[in-house]
mmCIF file of all heavy atoms in Angstrom:
data_model
loop_
_atom_site.group_PDB
_atom_site.id
_atom_site.type_symbol
_atom_site.label_atom_id
_atom_site.label_comp_id
_atom_site.label_asym_id
_atom_site.label_seq_id
_atom_site.Cartn_x
_atom_site.Cartn_y
_atom_site.Cartn_z
ATOM 1 N N MET A 123 91.940 62.537 110.284
ATOM 2 C CA MET A 123 91.973 62.980 108.924
ATOM 3 C C MET A 123 92.760 64.211 108.743
ATOM 4 O O MET A 123 92.896 64.733 107.608
ATOM 5 C CB MET A 123 90.534 63.229 108.395
ATOM 6 C CG MET A 123 89.713 61.960 108.279
ATOM 7 S SD MET A 123 90.478 60.735 107.199
ATOM 8 C CE MET A 123 90.383 61.605 105.674
ATOM 9 N N GLY A 124 93.290 64.821 109.820
ATOM 10 C CA GLY A 124 94.104 66.002 109.638
ATOM 11 C C GLY A 124 93.283 67.222 109.259
ATOM 12 O O GLY A 124 93.835 68.206 108.736
ATOM 13 N N ALA A 125 92.006 67.212 109.511
ATOM 14 C CA ALA A 125 91.178 68.332 109.145
ATOM 15 C C ALA A 125 91.224 69.398 110.246
ATOM 16 O O ALA A 125 91.416 69.105 111.405
ATOM 17 C CB ALA A 125 89.722 67.855 108.975
ATOM 18 N N ASP A 126 90.994 70.670 109.795
ATOM 19 C CA ASP A 126 90.969 71.761 110.764
ATOM 20 C C ASP A 126 89.571 71.969 111.296
ATOM 21 O O ASP A 126 88.630 71.304 110.910
ATOM 22 C CB ASP A 126 91.542 73.021 110.159
ATOM 23 C CG ASP A 126 90.828 73.402 108.860
ATOM 24 O OD1 ASP A 126 89.668 72.910 108.661
ATOM 25 O OD2 ASP A 126 91.382 74.187 108.086
ATOM 26 N N SER A 127 89.413 72.995 112.162
ATOM 27 C CA SER A 127 88.085 73.249 112.764
ATOM 28 C C SER A 127 87.075 73.635 111.707
ATOM 29 O O SER A 127 85.926 73.377 111.836
ATOM 30 C CB SER A 127 88.236 74.309 113.861
ATOM 31 O OG SER A 127 88.705 75.510 113.250
ATOM 32 N N ALA A 128 87.553 74.339 110.694
ATOM 33 C CA ALA A 128 86.616 74.754 109.606
ATOM 34 C C ALA A 128 86.090 73.525 108.875
ATOM 35 O O ALA A 128 84.918 73.483 108.537
ATOM 36 C CB ALA A 128 87.306 75.704 108.656
ATOM 37 N N ALA A 129 86.935 72.522 108.699
ATOM 38 C CA ALA A 129 86.503 71.326 108.014
ATOM 39 C C ALA A 129 85.478 70.587 108.834
ATOM 40 O O ALA A 129 84.446 70.056 108.320
ATOM 41 C CB ALA A 129 87.698 70.411 107.733
ATOM 42 N N VAL A 130 85.703 70.506 110.152
ATOM 43 C CA VAL A 130 84.766 69.814 110.996
ATOM 44 C C VAL A 130 83.451 70.590 111.014
ATOM 45 O O VAL A 130 82.358 69.970 111.008
ATOM 46 C CB VAL A 130 85.327 69.683 112.379
ATOM 47 C CG1 VAL A 130 84.336 69.024 113.344
ATOM 48 C CG2 VAL A 130 86.588 68.813 112.333
ATOM 49 N N SER A 131 83.513 71.919 111.020
ATOM 50 C CA SER A 131 82.284 72.700 110.973
ATOM 51 C C SER A 131 81.542 72.488 109.714
ATOM 52 O O SER A 131 80.314 72.449 109.693
ATOM 53 C CB SER A 131 82.607 74.233 111.136
ATOM 54 O OG SER A 131 83.250 74.423 112.380
ATOM 55 N N ALA A 132 82.283 72.395 108.574
ATOM 56 C CA ALA A 132 81.634 72.110 107.313
ATOM 57 C C ALA A 132 80.896 70.740 107.344
ATOM 58 O O ALA A 132 79.771 70.618 106.804
ATOM 59 C CB ALA A 132 82.678 72.155 106.189
ATOM 60 N N ALA A 133 81.529 69.777 107.940
ATOM 61 C CA ALA A 133 80.929 68.458 108.054
ATOM 62 C C ALA A 133 79.655 68.491 108.882
ATOM 63 O O ALA A 133 78.644 67.931 108.545
ATOM 64 C CB ALA A 133 81.902 67.472 108.648
ATOM 65 N N MET A 134 79.720 69.287 109.976
ATOM 66 C CA MET A 134 78.526 69.437 110.804
ATOM 67 C C MET A 134 77.366 70.150 110.072
ATOM 68 O O MET A 134 76.219 69.826 110.269
ATOM 69 C CB MET A 134 78.917 70.163 112.106
ATOM 70 C CG MET A 134 79.808 69.424 112.996
ATOM 71 S SD MET A 134 80.366 70.353 114.468
ATOM 72 C CE MET A 134 78.851 70.506 115.287
#
Side-chain angles (χ1 to χ4, degrees):
M123 293 302 296
D126 55 19
S127 59
V130 177
S131 298
M134 293 175 66

